[in-house]
């Protein structure tokens, strides 16, 4: 659904963003297919055969690998957001991407060893630290992304009421997305460490991939709503004196690298006396500013 909404609302987006959306959607679709096969092999095909309880189906390892790949792409996307908010400095983005890539490597090792060992108990005895370390890295990167996004958003928070509300909305979205994915990863880690034999950790781990994919698409799809919210005051539904160019037809051009324009109309009443009669003249002042993406906030003049 998020995929369909994105291409219906943001059909004018740059191909760079569209390509990332398509890749994540295809990976998520493949992930769902592998989960379906894993459920069939674990529950239906081996029903009643107790000797197969400890056997790892061939598709479990690749599903874990796809979960890590989706996680890496989404976390790299948010690292790019931090890079833009930090005025194109790499001091924070590079460590985040490096840790996310290390988590992907841990998942690759997990996939390889699961395919080789084909036993949950043997894998837990020999390589449990690999899977554990990968989950810890994933949760830590989520915390880093949430903390730094909130920090830079609040740091760039201006004193204008309408822009403050946009910053507050973005901060709320950041905390919500980061807390959900981090909580699911930590829950997976706890179940893996305490109850590795009942496979609850696998169910939670498979949900993590869906949460990352949906948080990514929801972040992109929310831009139009946040953009439209700029035209209303926080305390009422009265439109603010701001008109966005081209919004009535196609909405905001919100591609990651494309610039946006807005026009701020300031009406300055001036009294002119002509032959004893007072005439009010409205002077319109047009100020055009340009922003980079949905995290670059346009400040009224």
């Amino acid at each position: 659904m998020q995929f369909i909404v994105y291409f219906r609302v943001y059909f004018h987006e740059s191909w760079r963003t569209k390509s990332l959306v398509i890749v994540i959607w295809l990976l998520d679709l493949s992930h769902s297919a592998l989960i379906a096969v894993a459920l069939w092999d674990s529950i239906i095909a081996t029903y009643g055969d107790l000797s197969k309880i400890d056997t790892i189906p061939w598709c479990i390892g690749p599903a874990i690998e796809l979960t890590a790949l989706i996680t890496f792409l989404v976390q790299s996307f948010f690292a790019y957001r931090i890079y833009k908010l930090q005025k194109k400095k790499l001091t924070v983005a590079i460590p985040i991407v490096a840790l996310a890539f290390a988590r992907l490597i841990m998942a690759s090792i997990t996939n390889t060893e699961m395919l080789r060992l084909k036993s949950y108990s043997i894998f837990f005895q020999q390589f449990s630290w690999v899977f554990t370390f990968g989950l810890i890295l994933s949760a830590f990167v989520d915390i880093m992304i949430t903390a730094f996004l909130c920090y830079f958003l609040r740091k760039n928070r201006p004193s204008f009421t309408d822009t403050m509300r946009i910053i507050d909305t973005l901060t709320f979205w950041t905390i919500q997305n980061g807390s959900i994915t981090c909580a699911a990863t930590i829950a997976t880690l706890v179940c893996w460490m305490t109850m590795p034999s009942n496979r609850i950790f696998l169910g939670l781990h498979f949900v993590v991939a869906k949460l990352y994919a949906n948080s990514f698409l929801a972040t992109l799809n929310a831009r139009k709503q946040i953009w439209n919210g700029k035209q209303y005051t926080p305390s009422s539904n009265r439109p603010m004196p701001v008109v966005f160019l081209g919004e009535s037809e196609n909405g905001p051009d919100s591609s990651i690298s494309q610039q946006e324009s807005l026009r701020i109309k300031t009406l300055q009443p001036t009294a002119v006396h002509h032959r004893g009669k007072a005439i009010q003249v409205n002077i319109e002042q047009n100020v055009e500013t340009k922003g980079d993406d949905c995290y670059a906030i346009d400040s009224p003049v």
Side-chain angles (χ1 to χ4, degrees), residues 12 18 27 100 103 117 162 185 190 201 204 253 260 284:
H12 56 280
K18 285 182 179 178
L27 290 175
R103 186 261 189 276
L117 298 175
D162 59 322
T185 304
V190 171
F201 73 92
L204 292 173
D253 190 358
E260 302 159 346
E284 181 180 290

Side-chain angles (χ1 to χ4, degrees), residues 24 28 66-78 100 103 134-143 145 177-178 180-186 204-219:
I24 290 181
D28 184 59
L66 285 182
T67 299
L69 184 56
I70 293 172
T71 302
F72 172 74
L73 291 175
V74 174
Q75 289 177 339
S76 298
F77 167 79
F78 286 113
R103 186 261 189 276
L135 293 176
I136 292 174
L137 284 176
S138 181
F140 183 67
V141 172
D142 282 340
I143 294 172
I145 290 173
N177 289 337
I180 291 175
T181 54
C182 184
T185 304
I186 293 175
L204 292 173
H205 191 266
F206 292 151
V207 171
V208 167
K210 311 303 179 185
L211 293 177
Y212 276 107
N214 277 279
S215 68
F216 166 72
L217 291 173
T219 299

Side-chain angles (χ1 to χ4, degrees), residues 51-71:
S51 63
K52 300 293 184 180
I53 291 180
D54 191 52
T55 302
I56 302 178
W58 67 268
C59 47
I60 294 294
I64 292 175
E65 178 79 14
L66 285 182
T67 299
L69 184 56
I70 293 172
T71 302

Side-chain angles (χ1 to χ4, degrees), residues 267-274 277-283:
L267 299 181
Q268 300 176 353
T270 303
V272 179
H273 295 276
H274 181 68
K277 295 182 180 180
I279 302 175
Q280 182 173 332
V281 179
N282 293 328
I283 301 175

Side-chain angles (χ1 to χ4, degrees), residues 95-112:
I96 289 177
V97 174
L99 291 174
F101 186 71
R103 186 261 189 276
L104 181 60
I105 293 176
M106 294 298 105
S108 299
I109 297 174
T110 299
N111 177 28
T112 303

